[in-house]
Amino acid sequence: MIETASKKKTGPKPRYGEAKTMVSFRLSPEALIIIKGIAQERNVSQAEVLEQWARQYKLGGNIEEATGSFAMSLDRDLVASER
């Protein structure tokens, strides 16, 4: 009998109606601390933090508007990382 190997499906169903692509970034240690802190606070993945920021940036059209919702989280994370 021939067995057919099924392709392993990784991760949850696409949240935004499209499949995600695996990518790699180089970030400063400080940026990584900030992203990890926000992800932990919101109980989402680090990739989701970047996804939300990118989508807000696209809608806002400028970095100040897009990062406005993250401003308080960023300030708290920076203060916490300095302690």
Side-chain angles (χ1 to χ4, degrees), residues 53 56-58 60-70:
W53 179 83
Q56 287 177 353
Y57 178 79
K58 183 179 178 185
N62 81 40
I63 197 160
E64 287 79 19
E65 291 176 24
T67 57
S69 64
F70 285 121

Side-chain angles (χ1 to χ4, degrees), residues 18-56:
E18 55 193 356
K20 292 186 177 182
T21 303
M22 184 178 286
V23 296
S24 174
F25 289 99
R26 291 183 182 268
L27 299 169
S28 68
E30 183 177 352
L32 188 55
I33 288 169
I34 293 167
I35 293 167
K36 283 181 177 182
I38 294 170
Q40 186 174 20
E41 179 181 302
R42 295 180 177 192
N43 199 29
V44 297
S45 69
Q46 295 169 39
E48 183 60 24
V49 171
L50 295 175
E51 179 91 27
Q52 289 175 6
W53 179 83
R55 289 176 181 277
Q56 287 177 353

